[in-house]
Amino acid sequence: MARATTTYVCQSCGAQTRQFFGRCSSCGSWNSLVEQVAAATDTRRRRPVAPAAEAAMPAQPRRSEPIHAVGDRPLQRLSSGYGELDRVLGGGLVPGSLVLLGGDPGIGKSTLLLQSAQAMAARHSVLYVSAEESAQQVKLRWRRLADPLEAGAAEADGPGAALQLLAETDLELVLQELEALRPAVAIIDSIQALHDGELSSAPGSVAQVRDCAAALARIAKRQDTALLLVGHVTKEGMLAGPKVLEHLVDAVLTFEGDRFATHRLLRAVKNRFGATHELGVFEMRGQGLAEVINPSELFLGSDEPSAGTATIVACEGTRPLVVELQALVSTTSYASPRRTATGIGTNRLHQILAVLEKHLGLPLSRFDCYLAVAGGLEVEEPSADLGVAAAVVASYRDLILPPGTVLIGELGLGGQLRPVGQLELRLQESARLGFRRAVVPKGSGLGRLAAGLDLQLLEAGSVAEALVAALGVNPADDRP
């Protein structure tokens, strides 16, 4: 008779151990191990032994087939009703795919999916499963987000009546509704709130999230239902639940934003049907989330020039964004100067300051330096290096960059200016917004394109040449 075995499962990372510890040895989280009891099963596989005569016969496949013989199936995506969401998904929802959407509490995940469900319901059947809110709560939000005329038509079984609502936490009842309705799109809000009665663990535990997601994935693949799952995040900002959940789904999206700002950023961390690190921009308004068609306006400062500001063109996936950088350099009052960066890594700022001090002779080690990205955007790519250097030098020398100038380039430790990718897209976005001068690395080969865009292209091979071209003066001369 099989004996029950006891294991301890970490609720943060899903690691298993036979002994209880106060701290998980895999992820280091404290008090996250939960006891689980499972009946032991005989996992030995019985394989028939082939006779010697059959073993000598040529190998023949049983179920596999040559890859070129697999039938082609046209990929028809379903539009979510929002171009920004479709951009991040790679063109829309793929039937039978699983999409995991995570974000901080109150950031707007349910609002985004409910608005998208209302838009998709005009063309497809949609099932919205609310496991955290009652049906009356969801309807109140739906009335606030929907247009009054559309809401009245939907209540009269007109357009939009294809949006079905189910307030349920029992996984079995949700699966039965999916099998009976067979919707084109299903939304589960949220996966951590579903509960499988066959498991003894509490909702939101590793076993519950893993088994509920696996069951939903099986029925979605079988019925070609595009499934959208809402996931919670931990206090560190990571998606809650086992890591196998992120491996199981086809796309992982993160919804983020500053609680002091109105704009929200939608990013793709994983996408099997499109490019990763795409960016969608929304703005939270009284009637819900609205798409931002020209997101560069959010990250540009005022038209009045000031010392210590520079403009760069960052690329998030295939989307170029014109962003303003602000720097402040002041004499330090401490033995060790302060270095603070918002929107750009502090280590990156330290590296750029070291390059400027080494190759331009600026004594920045005796000055405090503060750097910020306008609009609260996080810029991680190295193409912002030249803009950071120009903003720092302009603040140090109390200079104002000429209006209509953008700076694009990566700084090497030897002071050289390195090329960056997608330079053509960056120049086109700059010209569209009215910029007339662009400082770029030497050897870009885009002179003809810049001439057609009425854009003056200033190429430089080093940081010193680039700053002279941008500022019009040598920053190493007349040092204070």
Side-chain angles (χ1 to χ4, degrees):
M1 179 178 180
R3 297 178 58 185
T5 59
T6 300
T7 58
Y8 297 89
V9 182
C10 177
Q11 301 301 294
S12 298
C13 66
Q16 298 184 7
T17 179
R18 292 294 185 89
Q19 184 178 357
F20 177 80
F21 298 98
R23 182 182 183 185
C24 176
S25 59
S26 297
C27 65
S29 59
W30 290 90
N31 302 323
S32 60
L33 294 180
V34 176
E35 180 182 3
Q36 289 188 2
V37 180
T41 57
D42 187 3
T43 58
R44 294 176 298 174
R45 299 183 63 183
R46 303 295 193 269
R47 295 186 178 90
V49 179
E54 295 184 7
M57 298 176 60
Q60 293 290 336
R62 291 189 176 182
R63 298 183 179 179
S64 61
E65 58 180 338
I67 189 171
H68 66 269
V70 177
D72 294 331
R73 181 179 178 182
L75 186 63
Q76 297 181 353
R77 296 179 181 265
L78 306 177
S79 175
S80 65
Y82 287 89
E84 295 294 303
L85 181 55
D86 289 341
R87 166 194 285 271
V88 178
L89 290 171
L93 290 168
V94 176
S97 64
L98 274 75
V99 179
L100 177 63
L101 175 64
D104 293 332
I107 203 67
K109 303 183 297 295
S110 300
T111 301
L112 173 64
L113 293 183
L114 185 57
Q115 290 182 230
S116 179
Q118 177 66 20
M120 290 186 292
R123 301 177 300 275
H124 311 284
S125 60
V126 181
L127 174 63
Y128 190 99
V129 179
S130 176
E132 295 182 347
E133 299 176 286
S134 65
Q136 289 73 20
Q137 289 176 313
V138 177
K139 185 176 181 179
L140 285 175
R141 190 170 70 250
W142 171 74
R143 280 183 176 274
R144 177 175 59 87
L145 299 176
D147 184 84
L149 297 178
E150 295 181 0
E155 292 180 358
D157 293 336
L163 176 58
Q164 301 290 326
L165 175 62
L166 174 64
E168 185 57 62
T169 60
D170 192 345
L171 175 66
E172 186 62 31
L173 297 180
V174 173
L175 295 178
Q176 292 177 5
E177 187 69 16
L178 286 172
E179 291 179 351
L181 189 60
R182 302 182 70 87
V185 181
I187 299 172
I188 309 296
D189 186 9
S190 67
I191 185 63
Q192 276 83 6
L194 287 184
H195 176 70
D196 188 356
E198 297 182 359
L199 300 178
S200 59
S201 55
S205 62
V206 171
Q208 288 281 357
V209 173
R210 181 182 61 240
D211 290 6
C212 290
L216 291 170
R218 286 193 295 268
I219 193 171
K221 301 293 184 184
R222 185 171 65 249
Q223 298 183 171
D224 282 342
T225 298
L227 195 61
L228 291 164
L229 307 177
V230 176
H232 295 170
V233 295
T234 62
K235 59 183 179 181
E236 292 84 9
M238 305 297 293
L239 284 168
K243 203 68 176 178
V244 68
L245 178 61
E246 299 181 42
H247 293 291
L248 178 66
V249 300
D250 299 303
V252 178
L253 311 182
T254 61
F255 205 41
E256 56 194 38
D258 189 353
R259 62 192 180 97
F260 300 107
T262 59
H263 62 269
R264 301 289 187 266
L265 304 179
L266 183 66
R267 300 178 187 270
V269 180
K270 169 189 175 182
N271 194 352
R272 291 174 178 166
F273 305 106
T276 57
H277 299 291
E278 282 288 354
L279 180 70
V281 184
F282 295 86
E283 184 179 3
M284 182 64 76
R285 299 177 181 173
Q287 297 298 323
L289 289 165
E291 296 179 283
V292 178
I293 305 301
N294 187 13
S296 295
E297 296 179 352
L298 291 174
F299 310 115
L300 283 176
S302 60
D303 296 334
E304 298 181 2
S306 59
T309 60
T311 305
I312 65 170
V313 186
C315 269
E316 293 285 347
T318 58
R319 159 168 279 172
L321 295 174
V322 179
V323 184
E324 181 181 280
L325 303 179
Q326 302 169 354
L328 175 61
V329 178
S330 61
T331 305
T332 183
S333 302
Y334 307 95
S336 178
R338 296 193 61 184
R339 307 289 169 79
T340 303
T342 303
I344 287 183
T346 306
N347 292 333
R348 194 73 182 176
L349 174 60
H350 289 166
Q351 179 177 316
I352 295 172
L353 294 177
V355 171
L356 294 176
E357 185 163 2
K358 173 69 174 178
H359 297 283
L360 297 183
L362 303 179
L364 298 174
S365 58
R366 301 198 299 266
F367 291 82
D368 294 336
C369 184
Y370 304 90
L371 184 71
V373 179
L377 182 69
E378 295 283 341
V379 179
E380 299 179 355
E381 62 168 350
S383 66
D385 291 355
L386 182 57
V388 173
V392 170
V393 172
S395 177
Y396 175 75
R397 291 287 310 274
D398 198 17
L399 297 173
I400 298 177
L401 271 79
T405 303
V406 294
L407 301 105
I408 307 169
E410 176 186 358
L411 294 187
L413 296 181
Q416 69 275 18
L417 200 59
R418 301 172 58 86
V420 298
Q422 297 179 314
L423 185 57
E424 183 176 349
L425 283 177
R426 302 174 198 262
L427 295 179
Q428 291 174 349
E429 179 70 8
S430 303
R432 188 181 67 85
L433 294 177
F435 290 88
R436 290 294 171 258
R437 299 172 72 240
V439 183
V440 300
K442 185 178 295 185
S444 63
L446 297 177
R448 181 175 299 179
L449 172 67
L453 297 173
D454 194 17
L455 191 67
Q456 183 183 1
L457 202 63
L458 306 175
E459 296 186 341
S462 64
V463 59
E465 297 178 10
L467 293 179
V468 169
L471 298 171
V473 297
N474 190 350
D477 294 342
D478 299 330
R479 291 170 235 160

